[in-house]
Amino acid sequence: MKYLVVDDEPLARQRIIRLLSSLSDYECCAQTGRAQEVISLVEHHQPQVVLLDISMPDMDGLEVAKLLSELVNPPKVIFISAHPEYALEAFGVFASGYLVKPVQQSELHTLLRHLFPPRIKYSVGNHIRWLEVSEVLVARADDKYTQLIFTDAEAVVDMSLKQLLALYPEHFVQVHRNTLVKRSQMQSLSYESGCYYVRVNGYSETIPVSRRAAQALKSGQ
């Protein structure tokens, strides 16, 4: 995912890039302090999102957003401004988001996840497909690979459970050393014949849960 940062203050640009540095899927393709350069940079780099200040000396950010909206394939625009009073006007030029300085990392990440739901790449024969992380119900370690189970289908990916959990901690919870489940779809936790099991909405089988994970689930962790 490529993004462009536009702000006439170099430190402000650097801060945004730093806030996004922990998102491995995001790459800063360019940055500029001149609003008049934005259109040419977008046409050259084709970013998916532009992080745009409003108050700049050579051109108002609202004007830039209007020009961007007229492109054939316009990027999404997130305004980052010290002036909350411009928010209503910003959405009038098709802004996808509005954050007030100083921007908090959690706010920025949450907004980007909303605009660009995270996806996982997998292969079917010679075809590459993409699966939104939100669709995954169960992830199960299978030798050197991981089996992803989603509604009415399965996929195998070359990612470990540890990697999945580190990348998407808000989505997955680990219930066993070889199993992750979708946190929001856990239906019930039961204890039968000396073992714990969890049911997940949309998945027909009960899933074994380790004692440590069961204690964490019961305590609300």
Side-chain angles (χ1 to χ4, degrees):
M1 189 75 63
K2 294 189 294 185
Y3 66 91
L4 167 65
V5 183
V6 185
D7 196 304
D8 62 315
E9 298 181 10
L11 289 178
R13 298 198 302 271
Q14 292 170 19
R15 184 170 191 273
I16 293 301
I17 294 170
R18 187 169 65 252
L19 292 180
L20 292 176
S21 63
S22 61
L23 299 182
S24 58
D25 292 342
Y26 284 79
E27 171 197 357
C28 179
C29 61
Q31 58 172 300
T32 181
R34 291 178 53 80
Q36 292 178 343
E37 295 179 345
V38 173
I39 300 301
S40 62
L41 287 172
V42 167
E43 291 177 338
H44 178 73
H45 294 283
Q46 295 294 305
Q48 283 75 38
V49 61
V50 176
L51 302 159
L52 179 61
D53 190 17
I54 288 182
S55 299
M56 289 181 288
D58 55 343
M59 184 186 294
D60 189 282
L62 296 168
E63 297 178 58
V64 176
K66 186 176 185 304
L67 293 173
L68 287 172
S69 70
E70 296 170 356
L71 296 176
V72 176
N73 293 305
K76 294 185 184 298
V77 173
I78 297 175
F79 280 110
I80 296 180
S81 174
H83 305 284
E85 64 270 18
Y86 290 122
L88 185 60
E89 192 173 355
F91 286 107
V93 290
F94 309 106
S96 297
Y98 194 102
L99 298 175
V100 178
K101 295 178 181 179
V103 175
Q104 300 302 308
Q105 186 178 60
S106 59
E107 294 177 330
L108 181 55
H109 287 194
T110 298
L111 177 55
L112 288 171
R113 283 196 297 268
H114 173 72
L115 296 176
F116 304 101
R119 301 186 301 168
I120 297 174
K121 180 175 67 175
Y122 68 100
S123 300
V124 177
N126 295 323
H127 300 281
I128 300 295
R129 296 184 179 178
W130 295 89
L131 169 70
E132 287 194 7
V133 174
S134 61
E135 297 179 44
V136 180
L137 298 174
V138 179
R140 183 174 288 133
D142 183 10
D143 195 15
K144 296 181 180 179
Y145 300 93
T146 296
Q147 178 188 33
L148 302 180
I149 300 170
F150 45 106
T151 306
D152 301 325
E154 298 179 4
V156 175
V157 296
D158 187 14
M159 294 179 68
S160 68
L161 297 185
K162 183 177 180 180
Q163 289 173 312
L164 286 171
L165 192 59
L167 287 170
Y168 313 111
E170 72 286 347
H171 179 82
F172 291 114
V173 60
Q174 187 154 16
V175 297
H176 198 276
R177 63 180 176 82
N178 67 348
T179 310
L180 307 179
V181 301
K182 185 175 182 179
R183 184 184 299 272
S184 64
Q185 292 300 309
M186 289 189 299
Q187 184 178 18
S188 63
L189 178 68
S190 60
Y191 186 73
E192 304 170 20
S193 304
C195 298
Y196 287 97
Y197 297 91
V198 67
R199 285 193 173 276
V200 175
N201 285 326
Y203 186 63
S204 59
E205 302 176 20
T206 56
I207 300 170
V209 178
S210 70
R211 289 184 177 274
R212 177 180 295 182
Q215 293 303 317
L217 292 175
K218 288 193 290 185
S219 64
Q221 296 180 17

